[in-house]
Amino acid sequence: MTQTSFATHEVFNQSPPFEDVNLFAVDRPLVEAVAANGGTAAASELSEFGQHWGSAAMAARGRFANENTPKLRTFDSRGNRRDEVEFHPAYHELMARSAHSGLHNSTWDPDGKPAGGAAEVVRAAKFYMAAQVETGHLCPITMTRASVAALAVQPDLLAKTMPVIGTRAYDPAFAPWPTKRGMTLGMGMTEKQGGTDVRSNMTRATRDGDGYRISGHKWFMSAPMCDAFLVLAQADEGLTCFFMPRFKPDGSVNAIQFQRLKDKLGNRSNASSEVEFAGAYAARVGDEGKGISTIIQMVQLTRQDCAIASAGLMRSGLAHAQYHARHRSVFQKHLADQPLMQMVLSDMALQVEASIALVMRLCRSFDRAPVESAEAAYMRLLTPAIKYWVCKSAPGFLYEAMECLGGNGYVEEGILARHFRESPVNAIWEGSGNVMCLDVLRALSREAEAAQAVLQGLATETKGLSGAGDAVIFVGKAFRRPDSERVARLAVEKLALLAAAAALNQVSPHHAELFARTRLAQNHASMYGAVEFGCDDVRGLLERTLP
Ligand SMILES: Cc1cc2nc3c(=O)[nH]c(=O)nc-3n(C[C@H](O)[C@H](O)[C@H](O)COP(=O)(O)OP(=O)(O)OC[C@H]3O[C@@H](n4cnc5c(N)ncnc54)[C@H](O)[C@@H]3O)c2cc1C
């Protein structure tokens, strides 16, 4: 019970906590985006998930896991190496709940092949809701799910690991993965001299019997208590991908020595290590020299998750802001009834509607890619564009959401300060902004015809929307320029906006036109709320966001 009466004052006009809500049922843009992309049959499963993750108990776990950050235990009291990281029990509970719901594996069948149906869309809806509660623990969850795509290059290894990856058990024991009920995987690519430019990796791999010995250093390797890591190292034939378990095949601890944990702006429940490989055992994944093309299979999926999680963070910011505005009165009127606040909130609501429609459309392309070449082309061209636009939108958006709560938004007891500190990371890792733009250009030059067909598809799907025709022409011309790199940010942002308008048009044509009018026909002002919407539009957008 909270105390609301004091000797000097009563507590009133404060918004109650936004907890014990069904994160699915109250989110009409999510419900409709899932349905528009093939996920209708999972509605009750998603509602159950939303009820659980929206509970006050889960919110408390998120807070505990971030206030009690992981601790590196390099040595024991007698000077023996331990190389273990200890987490608060709340972190383990979050991991267990996510694993129980298949966030780390439900897009794969037991053989590690794509599960088909709407598996990507359904998992994405869960990931979106989980991100509204706690994002740090989603790092090993996303890497585990994504690792299967790289392991597929080495079918014998995939066949061995899949029975352990494929369970819905979370097993935090520090023990060899073949003995465990469930396992998690991380990745080690970034070195001090280069993260984007992994070709500059200096970590060496030398053959040793059936396996390899890896020596070198990784500057960022997150979730160090994963059971194994996919690691890049230079072998005789060039940069190669390796599977490096925490324990060697004989059961002894592998030579993976953590030096320290990063002191990060956000993402604090998740540990990110600096690590030395002192001749660590590893098995090869794919051919020597093919490291980048092997690990990129994994990275494509983690990029998808970055976009989903950033959309989830924005949704959470919006929901908290709107909920607060409905309860807080200023000058005898609820904030939610002040015309200026209505413009801010509805403009933000439109941004989130478009983001979730776009992210779900992207996930449908992941579902359909194995059987439809047009969807595969959409997936390849638009994953980097969508990661760029959604992830880079999040920090500015969350700042505005915090401000809607006034001073309460800025303090650490609330979730918005944590969301704000978390928000830049999805744009920075797994390919930073410029790198995503260069990736779009690469996809365009490698598959010019397929990319042209994707653009043509977007033109058809946005026909009649304000500014869409001009945007299609602008994007087409910009990408054909010999110096396209110079205008890549202009063109990639426009491409993402076009794709967002197209995706929203499938869900809510009226809102797609509002989006196109304020984002395609003209440049959106640098602040949210610098728009003019009619009263009906304001009401419509805000009722959809929170009934
Ligand atoms: C919290 C956290 C956790 C992480 N966890 C992991 C992990 O588990 N495993 C792992 O391997 N890495 C991890 N990383 C590292 C991350 O992936 C890299 O930081 C990222 O890839 C960028 O690499 P870099 O830091 O070397 O920056 P650089 O590669 O030096 O890039 C710096 C800037 O230059 C830009 N840039 C690069 N190339 C070009 C170009 N050609 N033209 C124009 N601009 C360019 C980039 O967009 C970026 O803005 C993590 C990072 C963070 C912050």
Side-chain angles (χ1 to χ4, degrees):
M1 277 300 279
T2 46
Q3 180 190 343
T4 56
S5 186
F6 293 82
T8 56
H9 65 286
E10 299 284 322
V11 182
F12 68 100
N13 196 26
Q14 291 279 9
S15 55
F18 182 65
E19 288 171 357
D20 288 326
V21 287
N22 183 327
L23 295 177
F24 187 69
V26 300
D27 188 346
R28 220 169 115 195
L30 172 64
V31 172
E32 291 182 10
V34 167
N37 290 289
T40 312
S44 66
E45 177 187 344
L46 292 174
S47 182
E48 208 177 295
F49 186 94
Q51 184 74 42
H52 181 71
W53 280 80
S55 66
M58 289 303 277
R61 284 176 185 134
R63 185 165 57 78
F64 289 141
N66 282 276
E67 284 175 1
N68 302 280
T69 51
K71 299 207 168 29
L72 174 61
R73 304 294 181 204
T74 319
F75 298 96
D76 68 12
S77 62
R78 284 150 184 82
N80 301 303
R81 282 210 80 97
R82 269 186 70 190
D83 293 303
E84 284 185 72
V85 179
E86 289 173 351
F87 293 86
H88 189 270
Y91 171 89
H92 292 300
E93 282 166 23
L94 289 161
M95 287 294 290
R97 304 287 166 144
S98 282
H100 178 69
S101 302
L103 286 187
H104 69 308
N105 64 14
S106 60
T107 56
W108 306 113
D109 74 8
D111 297 324
K113 304 244 168 11
E120 292 278 358
V121 167
V122 173
R123 172 189 174 274
K126 292 181 183 173
F127 202 80
Y128 179 72
M129 290 186 267
Q132 295 171 42
V133 181
E134 210 293 305
T135 30
H137 85 284
L138 292 177
C139 175
I141 294 289
T142 191
M143 290 194 292
T144 304
R145 189 292 278 229
S147 67
V148 174
L151 290 172
V153 175
Q154 194 66 42
D156 54 331
L157 187 57
L158 181 69
K160 279 191 229 157
T161 49
M162 213 46 220
V164 194
I165 297 173
T167 77
R168 291 201 172 191
Y170 168 62
D171 186 346
F174 184 42
W177 66 266
T179 67
K180 293 182 61 166
R181 291 178 293 118
M183 70 183 289
T184 51
L185 287 98
M187 64 173 148
M189 298 186 289
T190 306
E191 298 185 2
K192 286 177 181 167
Q193 72 283 357
T196 304
D197 186 7
V198 288
R199 281 192 178 81
S200 70
N201 270 194
M202 296 190 306
T203 298
R204 295 287 322 165
T206 46
R207 275 179 192 275
D208 183 17
D210 289 343
Y212 287 75
R213 298 244 153 252
I214 312 279
S215 298
H217 185 271
K218 295 289 170 185
W219 183 227
F220 278 91
M221 196 171 82
S222 288
M225 288 310 282
C226 283
D227 297 289
F229 301 89
L230 295 187
V231 165
L232 289 181
Q234 303 285 358
D236 288 348
E237 301 292 322
L239 198 62
T240 305
C241 181
F242 293 94
F243 173 85
M244 183 187 282
R246 288 300 307 273
F247 291 80
K248 292 189 262 188
D250 67 6
S252 59
V253 178
N254 205 359
I256 300 173
Q257 299 177 348
F258 300 119
Q259 296 184 317
R260 58 175 179 166
L261 299 184
K262 299 287 191 188
D263 183 7
K264 295 176 288 185
L265 169 68
N267 195 253
R268 297 180 76 85
S269 67
N270 177 38
S272 299
S273 69
E274 294 168 17
V275 60
E276 196 110 55
F277 304 140
Y281 161 84
R284 186 164 42 79
V285 183
D287 292 339
E288 278 196 17
K290 299 281 184 214
I292 294 178
S293 61
T294 300
I295 207 136
I296 207 75
Q297 307 299 324
M298 175 174 184
V299 172
Q300 175 85 342
L301 295 178
T302 55
R303 287 177 178 169
Q304 176 198 10
D305 277 358
C306 287
I308 302 168
S310 285
L313 288 172
M314 288 193 280
R315 159 68 199 177
S316 181
L318 172 65
H320 279 90
Q322 203 182 332
Y323 189 72
H324 178 79
R326 283 188 185 165
H327 289 88
R328 177 82 167 179
S329 291
V330 178
F331 302 135
Q332 291 83 47
K333 225 176 175 180
H334 279 130
L335 278 175
D337 297 325
Q338 306 274 6
L340 187 47
M341 185 57 99
Q342 288 179 337
M343 287 305 148
V344 173
L345 291 171
S346 51
D347 195 22
M348 291 167 72
L350 186 57
Q351 185 81 6
V352 173
E353 276 239 26
S355 300
I356 188 57
L358 179 60
V359 158
M360 286 298 158
R361 171 65 186 91
L362 178 68
C363 293
R364 172 152 62 101
S365 76
F366 276 81
D367 274 325
R368 304 297 304 158
V371 288
E372 272 182 53
S373 58
E375 290 292 314
Y378 181 103
M379 178 189 82
R380 284 193 296 272
L381 181 67
L382 283 168
T383 300
I386 293 171
K387 181 191 185 270
Y388 174 81
W389 179 66
V390 176
C391 297
K392 287 185 88 65
S393 303
F397 185 99
L398 283 155
Y399 147 65
E400 197 67 63
M402 276 197 314
E403 191 170 314
C404 292
L405 275 78
N408 288 358
Y410 194 69
V411 298
E412 290 286 350
E413 277 107 344
I415 198 171
L416 288 192
R418 166 149 54 92
H419 282 345
F420 179 67
R421 285 188 284 96
E422 177 74 14
S423 61
V425 77
N426 283 327
I428 291 176
W429 64 15
E430 306 303 321
S432 315
N434 288 353
V435 178
M436 291 299 85
C437 292
L438 295 174
D439 250 41
V440 174
L441 295 183
R442 201 168 301 121
L444 276 163
S445 68
R446 278 199 193 143
E447 325 175 48
E449 222 170 281
Q452 195 48 44
V454 172
L455 194 56
Q456 193 50 50
L458 293 179
T460 309
E461 287 165 16
T462 53
K463 203 167 169 45
L465 293 180
S466 298
D470 287 346
V472 172
I473 294 168
F474 177 85
V475 171
K477 272 193 186 156
F479 287 144
R480 278 194 299 275
R481 278 172 60 157
D483 61 347
S484 56
E485 229 178 284
R486 295 183 49 170
V487 290
R489 279 199 176 211
L490 280 171
V492 170
E493 180 170 334
K494 197 71 101 185
L495 174 64
L497 290 171
L498 198 60
L504 193 51
N505 216 11
Q506 303 292 310
V507 179
S508 170
H510 179 71
H511 292 125
E513 172 54 23
L514 271 189
F515 183 82
R517 211 180 73 209
T518 51
R519 273 91 169 155
L520 278 179
Q522 61 198 58
N523 283 336
H524 188 262
S526 54
M527 305 300 163
Y528 287 98
V531 289
E532 192 180 345
F533 290 154
C535 294
D536 287 351
D537 286 333
V538 167
R539 205 173 312 115
L541 279 163
L542 296 180
E543 276 172 15
R544 286 167 67 76
T545 299
L546 213 56

